[in-house]
């Protein structure tokens, strides 16, 4: 499966994505608020990638390509919870809005689901801002939800309805047209 956006291609993962995905998952800047510490070995990333591939070609979880290079992933490893990570070289250009937005719209178009969810570290300002821009609203907070490398992390919970997504898309269109 493949989705095209103005700057990106989202597609199912393949075994030969290993090196590019490892470059993302082994970067401590990218994994600072991820559910695992940075990957230290290619084998760790291979197991992670195999999990993604095992979900099957119709599952809405995607690697993100820009100009033929894999720069990260966006989608739903476990429905209905969204996850995304980009290589730091790609940050700050609106690419996560573009990629995650496309994955969300694909799911709402193809699945009989009314709510999508997200779980984010309260310190992860970029991810929180991204979720809000996509239309997610905060629904809860819990302490000590993840133990990552021996350190406890908290969670903010978010959800996105079809109507919330539609409102966010309309706001994007107004931005795009300068309104
Ligand atoms: C979260 C992440 C995907 C955002 O990617 P990105 O391509 O830089 O995001 P975008 O450029 O599309 O920007 C989305 C919004 O976040 C804001 N933003 C980006 N980086 C930010 C930062 N460090 N602090 C605050 N806001 C930030 C942008 O300004 C934009 O908001 P705006 O519309 O108000 O300007 C990226 O930072 C990342 O890969 N982080 C590591 C992985 C991760 O933490 N994943 C989430 C786990 S829940």
């Amino acid at each position: 499966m493949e989705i095209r956006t103005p700057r990106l291609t989202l597609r199912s993962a393949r075994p030969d994505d290993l090196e590019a995905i490892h470059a993302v998952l082994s970067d401590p800047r990218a994994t600072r608020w991820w559910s695992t510490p940075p990957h230290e070995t290619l084998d760790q990333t291979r197991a992670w990638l195999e999990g993604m591939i095992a979900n099957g070609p119709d599952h809405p979880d995607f690697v993100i390509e820009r100009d033929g290079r894999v720069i990260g992933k966006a989608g739903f490893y476990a429905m209905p919870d969204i996850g995304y990570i980009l290589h730091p070289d790609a940050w700050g250009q609106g690419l996560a809005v573009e990629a995650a937005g496309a994955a969300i719209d694909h799911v709402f178009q193809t699945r009989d689901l009314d709510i999508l969810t997200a779980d984010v570290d309260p310190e992860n300002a970029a991810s929180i801002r991204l979720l809000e821009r996509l239309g997610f609203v905060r629904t809860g907070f819990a302490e000590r939800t993840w133990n990552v490398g021996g350190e406890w992390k908290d969670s903010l919970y978010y959800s996105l309805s079809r109507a919330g997504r539609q409102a966010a898309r309309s706001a994007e269109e107004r931005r795009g047209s300068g309104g």
Side-chain angles (χ1 to χ4, degrees):
M1 184 175 5
E2 200 168 281
I3 301 172
R4 302 254 174 173
T5 71
R7 292 176 290 177
L8 305 170
T9 301
L10 276 66
R11 62 160 174 79
S12 305
R14 304 189 301 243
D16 66 350
D17 295 324
L18 179 60
E19 300 276 348
I21 289 289
H22 183 69
V24 179
L25 292 176
S26 63
D27 190 313
R29 296 169 295 173
T31 59
R32 180 153 175 213
W33 292 291
W34 197 241
S35 49
T36 59
H39 287 190
E40 288 178 0
T41 66
L42 267 181
D43 280 345
Q44 275 178 288
T45 308
R46 187 177 290 109
W48 185 92
L49 194 60
E50 282 168 358
M52 198 170 160
I53 294 169
N55 267 331
D58 295 329
H59 189 80
D61 199 15
F62 307 101
V63 297
I64 305 165
E65 271 186 16
R66 186 181 193 193
D67 300 330
R69 293 168 62 105
V70 170
I71 59 167
K73 75 136 269 180
F76 300 83
Y77 177 75
M79 295 287 282
D81 208 45
I82 194 163
Y84 37 75
I85 187 166
L86 298 186
H87 192 280
D89 290 350
W91 290 357
Q93 304 166 53
L95 295 173
V97 171
E98 197 169 314
I104 287 164
D105 293 339
H106 169 79
V107 165
F108 276 145
Q109 281 158 20
T110 57
R111 307 261 167 150
D112 186 19
L113 258 176
D114 290 320
I115 295 285
L116 302 176
T117 57
D119 174 342
V120 60
D121 189 303
E123 294 178 2
N124 193 349
S127 184
I128 289 170
R129 181 64 201 128
L130 170 64
L131 289 171
E132 288 170 348
R133 188 142 163 214
L134 292 166
F136 281 81
V137 291
R138 191 175 296 185
T139 56
F141 168 76
E143 287 181 348
R144 294 167 67 86
T145 46
W146 295 86
N147 191 308
V148 183
E151 193 187 336
W152 281 104
K153 307 277 193 177
D154 302 335
S155 288
L156 286 174
Y157 297 112
Y158 280 77
S159 73
L160 177 65
S161 64
R162 286 178 182 267
R165 179 59 190 151
Q166 193 49 53
R169 281 173 58 108
S170 301
E172 292 295 329
E173 280 161 24
R174 285 196 297 278
R175 267 175 194 249
S177 63

